[in-house]
Amino acid sequence: MHKAEKLEFVKKFNATLKDKDCVIISHYKGLSVSEISDLRKQIKSTNSVFKVAKNSLAKLAIKDTNFEVLDKFFVGPTSVTYSDDAVSASKVLVDFSKDNENLKILGGAMDGKELSVDEIKTLASLPSMETLRATILGLLTTTQRNILGVVQASQKSLIRIVNTKFNN
Protein backbone atom coordinates (compact mmCIF):
# COMPACT_ATOMS: atom_id res chain seq x y z
CA MET A 1 0.00 0.00 0.00
CA HIS A 2 1.32 3.43 -0.90
CA LYS A 3 1.01 6.35 1.50
CA ALA A 4 -1.97 7.84 -0.39
CA GLU A 5 -3.78 4.48 -0.27
CA LYS A 6 -3.10 4.18 3.46
CA LEU A 7 -4.45 7.67 4.11
CA GLU A 8 -7.57 6.89 2.07
CA PHE A 9 -8.08 3.61 3.97
CA VAL A 10 -7.77 5.40 7.34
CA LYS A 11 -10.18 8.12 6.24
CA LYS A 12 -12.83 5.64 5.02
CA PHE A 13 -12.42 3.32 8.01
CA ASN A 14 -12.70 6.28 10.40
CA ALA A 15 -15.91 7.47 8.69
CA THR A 16 -17.35 3.95 8.87
CA LEU A 17 -16.53 3.57 12.57
CA LYS A 18 -18.12 6.92 13.43
CA ASP A 19 -21.46 5.49 12.23
CA LYS A 20 -21.20 2.24 14.21
CA ASP A 21 -22.46 1.48 17.71
CA CYS A 22 -20.08 -1.30 18.67
CA VAL A 23 -16.54 -2.48 17.94
CA ILE A 24 -15.03 -5.74 19.18
CA ILE A 25 -11.32 -6.47 18.93
CA SER A 26 -9.98 -10.02 18.73
CA HIS A 27 -6.82 -11.95 17.89
CA TYR A 28 -7.10 -14.42 15.04
CA LYS A 29 -3.62 -16.01 15.15
CA GLY A 30 -3.83 -19.66 14.18
CA LEU A 31 -7.08 -19.44 12.21
CA SER A 32 -6.94 -20.88 8.72
CA VAL A 33 -8.12 -18.91 5.70
CA SER A 34 -11.25 -21.09 5.48
CA GLU A 35 -12.02 -20.51 9.18
CA ILE A 36 -11.67 -16.75 8.75
CA SER A 37 -13.90 -16.92 5.65
CA ASP A 38 -16.50 -18.89 7.61
CA LEU A 39 -16.36 -16.36 10.46
CA ARG A 40 -16.72 -13.48 7.99
CA LYS A 41 -19.84 -15.10 6.49
CA GLN A 42 -21.39 -15.63 9.91
CA ILE A 43 -20.67 -12.06 10.94
CA LYS A 44 -21.91 -10.67 7.62
CA SER A 45 -25.22 -12.50 8.13
CA THR A 46 -25.78 -10.25 11.19
CA ASN A 47 -25.12 -7.07 9.16
CA SER A 48 -21.74 -6.73 10.85
CA VAL A 49 -18.22 -6.61 9.41
CA PHE A 50 -15.08 -8.57 10.36
CA LYS A 51 -11.97 -6.77 9.17
CA VAL A 52 -8.28 -7.51 9.46
CA ALA A 53 -6.30 -4.29 9.29
CA LYS A 54 -2.74 -3.22 9.95
CA ASN A 55 -2.54 -2.14 13.61
CA SER A 56 -0.96 1.23 12.90
CA LEU A 57 -3.71 2.08 10.40
CA ALA A 58 -6.46 0.85 12.72
CA LYS A 59 -5.09 3.01 15.54
CA LEU A 60 -5.22 6.04 13.27
CA ALA A 61 -8.73 5.15 12.11
CA ILE A 62 -10.20 4.98 15.64
CA LYS A 63 -9.03 8.51 16.46
CA ASP A 64 -11.93 10.94 16.94
CA THR A 65 -14.44 8.10 17.29
CA ASN A 66 -16.17 6.52 20.30
CA PHE A 67 -13.63 3.71 20.10
CA GLU A 68 -10.35 5.46 20.99
CA VAL A 69 -10.32 3.50 24.28
CA LEU A 70 -9.47 0.39 22.22
CA ASP A 71 -6.05 1.71 21.15
CA LYS A 72 -4.20 -0.59 23.60
CA PHE A 73 -5.62 -3.76 21.98
CA PHE A 74 -3.94 -3.21 18.60
CA VAL A 75 -0.93 -5.46 19.17
CA GLY A 76 -0.32 -8.66 17.24
CA PRO A 77 -2.66 -10.25 14.66
CA THR A 78 -5.71 -8.11 15.39
CA SER A 79 -9.15 -8.13 13.82
CA VAL A 80 -11.92 -5.57 14.17
CA THR A 81 -15.60 -6.48 14.17
CA TYR A 82 -18.00 -3.54 13.97
CA SER A 83 -21.75 -3.36 13.94
CA ASP A 84 -24.89 -1.42 14.80
CA ASP A 85 -26.18 -4.49 16.63
CA ALA A 86 -23.76 -5.27 19.44
CA VAL A 87 -25.70 -8.34 20.57
CA SER A 88 -25.66 -10.17 17.23
CA ALA A 89 -22.00 -9.40 16.52
CA SER A 90 -20.87 -10.45 20.00
CA LYS A 91 -23.02 -13.60 19.81
CA VAL A 92 -21.27 -14.75 16.61
CA LEU A 93 -17.78 -13.99 17.95
CA VAL A 94 -18.39 -15.65 21.32
CA ASP A 95 -19.94 -18.74 19.73
CA PHE A 96 -17.12 -18.99 17.19
CA SER A 97 -14.46 -18.58 19.89
CA LYS A 98 -16.07 -21.42 21.90
CA ASP A 99 -15.67 -23.74 18.92
CA ASN A 100 -12.26 -22.41 17.91
CA GLU A 101 -9.78 -21.46 20.61
CA ASN A 102 -7.57 -19.61 18.10
CA LEU A 103 -10.01 -16.69 18.07
CA LYS A 104 -9.44 -14.72 21.26
CA ILE A 105 -11.73 -11.82 22.08
CA LEU A 106 -9.67 -9.03 23.64
CA GLY A 107 -12.28 -6.39 24.37
CA GLY A 108 -14.58 -3.92 22.74
CA ALA A 109 -16.37 -0.61 23.08
CA MET A 110 -19.91 0.62 22.81
CA ASP A 111 -20.94 4.28 22.97
CA GLY A 112 -17.46 5.30 24.11
CA LYS A 113 -17.38 2.82 27.00
CA GLU A 114 -14.81 0.05 27.00
CA LEU A 115 -16.23 -3.47 27.25
CA SER A 116 -14.38 -6.32 28.94
CA VAL A 117 -14.49 -9.88 27.59
CA ASP A 118 -17.05 -10.75 30.30
CA GLU A 119 -19.28 -7.84 29.26
CA ILE A 120 -19.07 -8.99 25.64
CA LYS A 121 -20.08 -12.50 26.73
CA THR A 122 -23.01 -10.99 28.64
CA LEU A 123 -24.05 -9.10 25.50
CA ALA A 124 -23.85 -12.36 23.56
CA SER A 125 -26.25 -14.01 26.01
CA LEU A 126 -28.96 -11.39 25.39
CA PRO A 127 -31.67 -11.99 22.80
CA SER A 128 -31.00 -10.37 19.42
CA MET A 129 -32.89 -7.28 18.24
CA GLU A 130 -34.81 -9.48 15.82
CA THR A 131 -35.94 -11.74 18.66
CA LEU A 132 -36.88 -8.77 20.84
CA ARG A 133 -38.90 -7.20 18.02
CA ALA A 134 -40.73 -10.48 17.43
CA THR A 135 -41.49 -10.79 21.16
CA ILE A 136 -42.80 -7.23 21.39
CA LEU A 137 -44.88 -7.69 18.25
CA GLY A 138 -46.30 -10.92 19.69
CA LEU A 139 -47.20 -9.16 22.93
CA LEU A 140 -48.88 -6.31 21.06
CA THR A 141 -50.93 -8.56 18.81
CA THR A 142 -51.95 -10.79 21.74
CA THR A 143 -53.11 -7.76 23.70
CA GLN A 144 -55.08 -6.47 20.71
CA ARG A 145 -56.75 -9.86 20.24
CA ASN A 146 -57.66 -9.99 23.92
CA ILE A 147 -59.17 -6.49 23.83
CA LEU A 148 -61.06 -7.32 20.64
CA GLY A 149 -62.38 -10.52 22.24
CA VAL A 150 -63.63 -8.60 25.30
CA VAL A 151 -65.29 -5.92 23.14
CA GLN A 152 -66.95 -8.52 20.89
CA ALA A 153 -68.09 -10.56 23.88
CA SER A 154 -69.58 -7.45 25.49
CA GLN A 155 -71.42 -6.58 22.28
CA LYS A 156 -72.86 -10.09 22.00
CA SER A 157 -74.00 -10.02 25.63
CA LEU A 158 -75.57 -6.60 25.16
CA ILE A 159 -77.39 -7.74 22.02
CA ARG A 160 -78.70 -10.85 23.85
CA ILE A 161 -79.98 -8.74 26.73
CA VAL A 162 -81.69 -6.28 24.38
CA ASN A 163 -83.23 -9.13 22.35
CA THR A 164 -84.49 -10.79 25.53
CA LYS A 165 -86.15 -7.57 26.73
CA PHE A 166 -87.83 -6.93 23.37
CA ASN A 167 -89.02 -10.53 23.05
CA ASN A 168 -90.63 -10.46 26.50
Side-chain angles (χ1 to χ4, degrees), residues 92-133:
V92 170
L93 284 172
V94 168
D95 288 346
F96 192 90
S97 69
K98 284 178 186 174
D99 296 336
N100 194 323
E101 66 216 24
N102 289 328
L103 181 72
K104 293 184 180 26
I105 299 170
L106 302 177
M110 192 166 72
D111 299 325
K113 182 191 176 294
E114 185 177 333
L115 300 173
S116 68
V117 175
D118 289 334
E119 289 171 317
I120 293 169
K121 288 179 180 178
T122 301
L123 270 176
S125 69
L126 296 173
S128 68
M129 284 301 280
E130 190 175 295
T131 303
L132 288 174
R133 285 184 184 123

Side-chain angles (χ1 to χ4, degrees), residues 9 13 28 51-58 74 76-80:
F9 170 81
F13 196 29
Y28 63 92
K51 186 182 261 331
V52 174
K54 192 170 181 180
N55 289 333
S56 58
L57 298 180
F74 289 99
T78 310
S79 63
V80 180

